[in-house]
Amino acid sequence: MMKNGHHVISPEKRRRAVRVWCDGCYDMVHYGHSNQLRQAKAMGDYLIVGVHTDDEISKHKGPPVFTQAERYKMVRAIKWVDEIVEGAPYVTTLETLDKYTCDFCVHGDDITLTVDGKDTYEEVKRSGRYRECKRTQGVSTTDLVGRMLLMTKAHHSNMGSSDYQQHTDNFGRGPKGHSPWTGVSQFLQTSQKIIQFASGQEPQPGDTIIYVAGAFDLFHIGHVDFLDAVSQLSEKPYVIVGLHFDQEVNRYKGKNYPIMNIHERTLSVLACRYVSEVVIGAPYAVTKDLLDHFKVDLVCHGETEVFLDRDGSDPYAVPRNMGILRTVDSGNSLTTDNIVQRIIKNRLLFEARNQKKEAKEMAVIQAMKRQEEERAQAVL
């Protein structure tokens, strides 16, 4: 069909946008969650994410680490998410998919069970409106909790030690635990994974190039609020995050920090919609060379303490002297330390939660095995 000399696609021929539904607790959001949402978005055009309330999670799983308000904000900050639904029902029904005009829902290749051990996706699976994406190896909330409780700086390289094993036993692989979904495996970074997460966008003329640096460990809502505040300093922000190497973070933070290694922290930060680029292993001191290389207009730091460099010097001396350093108050004082304290305070509840989850998963696996055996017998 022609109109004013131009080809016009008729409404019948114009492809309708494919709407995808994902839902979950999204408690302690990590790059595994982000990778699930990235894969879900790639299956369609518009991604809607349902996030459960604190009450629903407590009923079916146990106490969440973060409040629902924190979890809603955290999921909104993931760059592949187009819309979130607050207080989404724990069991995914066709009614929910139809209400938000979603073609299908996507979940990882693990299993989610209700308090009475039923598959929460049973109805949508039966109707053929269910798709699966690959679970990200090497990360789980269970594993991260175990790392936090293991107060040693060598936890990344100590995964085979008896101390580490004891914590992971408590948090998912109990004496009878053989569930493939609750447990610990090593995360292996690849260049492909970084490419998938990176925006690939170069700074454009007129962009304000803003540099921030830090550990950004256990990437959380405090970090999100800070990066959001930083991005609002300009109409066209291009935010570069410099991530310090693990040894550097341990030097100034001590204890068992960082909880996540440099590769894991890279993906966590890249998944944030306010971030344009990441410098992996940025120098601790913000140097003139670094500022010139990236053509930085503004350097920002939060209200948190600035630790001195190894030689006792101010790591922000150069941008301070250039008059381009700005302290940004995000209005959120949450730190990684606070999160670890929440976990330790509720340690027994979290141990009980993970053991309960494991028991439910094992019951489902055994039932599936029995069904397979019965089918095999019927064939004979």
Side-chain angles (χ1 to χ4, degrees), residues 133-159:
C133 63
K134 280 187 73 65
R135 184 174 174 272
T136 308
Q137 284 299 104
V139 66
S140 67
T141 303
T142 304
D143 175 28
L144 294 176
V145 169
R147 295 188 208 179
M148 284 182 230
L149 293 170
L150 187 66
M151 297 309 271
T152 162
K153 68 177 180 179
H155 60 84
H156 296 307
S157 53
N158 256 9
M159 288 187 165

Side-chain angles (χ1 to χ4, degrees), residues 211-213 242 244 279 281-299 309 311 313-322 324-325:
Y211 180 77
V212 302
H244 301 141
V279 180
Y284 188 65
V286 183
T287 61
K288 181 83 166 61
D289 280 352
L290 183 145
L291 298 176
D292 289 347
H293 179 81
F294 291 108
K295 301 182 171 60
V296 174
D297 300 300
L298 201 58
V299 176
D309 207 344
D311 60 2
S313 63
D314 171 12
Y316 289 95
V318 171
R320 198 185 302 281
N321 293 336
M322 290 169 68
I324 61 167
L325 181 66

Side-chain angles (χ1 to χ4, degrees), residues 77 79 197-199 201 212 216 219 223 227-228 231 237-242 266 268-279:
K79 64 185 178 186
F197 272 58
S199 68
Q201 294 295 313
V212 302
F216 291 89
F219 193 73
H223 297 132
L227 291 166
D228 184 8
S231 72
Y238 187 92
V239 178
I240 301 174
V241 176
T266 297
S268 299
V269 174
L270 279 173
C272 179
R273 65 171 70 251
Y274 307 119
V275 175
S276 305
E277 182 62 286
V278 168
V279 180

Side-chain angles (χ1 to χ4, degrees), residues 101-115:
T101 57
C102 289
D103 297 80
F104 53 84
C105 80
V106 176
H107 188 64
D109 53 4
D110 56 348
I111 195 161
T112 309
L113 304 169
T114 62
V115 67

